[in-house]
Amino acid sequence: QWIDPKPRDFTEAVFKCHSTPTGTLPTDNDLANSIHRGFVTTNMPSWLPLTGQSRANLVAYIKTFSSRWSQGAGTPITISAETPATIESMLRGRALFQKMECWKCHGPAGHGNGPSASTLTDSKDNPIRPYNFSTGTRFKCGSTNQDLYRVFMTGLDGTPMPSFADNLKPDQAWDLVHFLRTLQPPTTPEGAAWKTWLQTNPSTLTPIGPQSETP
């Protein structure tokens, strides 16, 4: 009862990190990667000492908890080739962050403190906090730009984070990836480039938030 967020309920077979479309079961490799990687901002550690066979055995046992696995796993989505992480791409991603109202949960600066943040719950009605991009360079489901792109297109099942597969074209998803990287510590290449650009363009951006919603 002292753990927040709460441990995964394996009897529901609903998983946040997966390479398959929203609502479908993850692959065995998805589950093995989660065991190997662990989850930042949670009590789930990285189980690096486990051998590959041990992880496979653990995945097989986890799947005995739910009859949903009789349906079989989904088919992994295709991740398109990454577009160049230019300032223009970051600016387009920033416009999407505003247009799609990402700021309502994640906050205008990506600190996880948007106006809707305190109202969010997971599929078990437990309070859940939006990701705070300023806390580090790694995301819950991985550390690469491809991992973040995958989250946009698959969603985090069991959470308020939806799939944007029907709302974003591949190049738009990459633009959003590149902008979100600028909200992280400036050690990311995108963050460093963005910081340099802002120094010479200090007053060209409209603040993100409700004040930008009116024409």
Side-chain angles (χ1 to χ4, degrees), residues 2-16:
W2 295 285
I3 294 177
D4 182 28
K6 300 302 180 187
R8 179 61 35 192
D9 181 349
F10 293 131
T11 66
E12 293 189 344
V14 176
F15 298 90
K16 295 178 182 178

Side-chain angles (χ1 to χ4, degrees), residues 35-197:
I35 294 169
H36 179 77
R37 182 182 61 246
F39 292 94
V40 294
T41 72
T42 80
N43 289 80
M44 172 67 179
S46 171
W47 293 97
L48 293 175
L50 292 180
T51 65
Q53 185 59 59
S54 292
R55 286 195 294 273
N57 294 342
L58 189 53
V59 166
Y61 181 62
I62 288 170
K63 291 166 67 175
T64 68
F65 288 113
S66 173
S67 60
R68 279 197 69 204
W69 289 104
S70 62
Q71 307 169 15
T75 301
I77 66 168
T78 298
I79 297 180
S80 69
E82 183 172 0
T83 58
T86 61
I87 292 297
E88 290 73 21
S89 174
M90 298 171 204
L91 287 170
R92 291 192 298 268
R94 187 179 188 273
L96 284 168
F97 188 85
Q98 171 68 36
K99 178 181 178 181
M100 300 180 69
E101 300 185 333
C102 305
W103 58 271
K104 285 191 173 180
C105 293
H106 292 285
H111 293 171
N113 59 350
S116 299
S118 62
T119 69
L120 301 179
T121 59
D122 64 14
S123 58
K124 304 281 283 187
D125 290 327
N126 294 309
I128 188 169
R129 294 187 297 273
Y131 185 74
N132 180 351
F133 290 96
S134 69
T135 58
T137 57
R138 209 193 101 174
F139 303 106
K140 187 181 295 294
C141 295
S143 59
T144 69
N145 285 4
Q146 287 73 19
D147 292 324
L148 184 53
Y149 177 100
R150 186 184 299 109
V151 168
F152 292 155
M153 297 311 201
T154 64
L156 297 178
D157 289 359
T159 81
M161 177 65 187
S163 164
F164 294 126
D166 294 331
N167 305 100
L168 291 178
K169 297 178 180 179
D171 58 335
Q172 291 178 310
W174 282 120
D175 289 340
L176 194 52
V177 167
H178 298 151
F179 171 66
L180 291 182
R181 283 298 200 185
T182 71
L183 302 179
Q184 296 182 287
T187 51
T188 66
E190 296 88 350
W194 184 254
K195 183 178 180 180
T196 299
W197 182 82

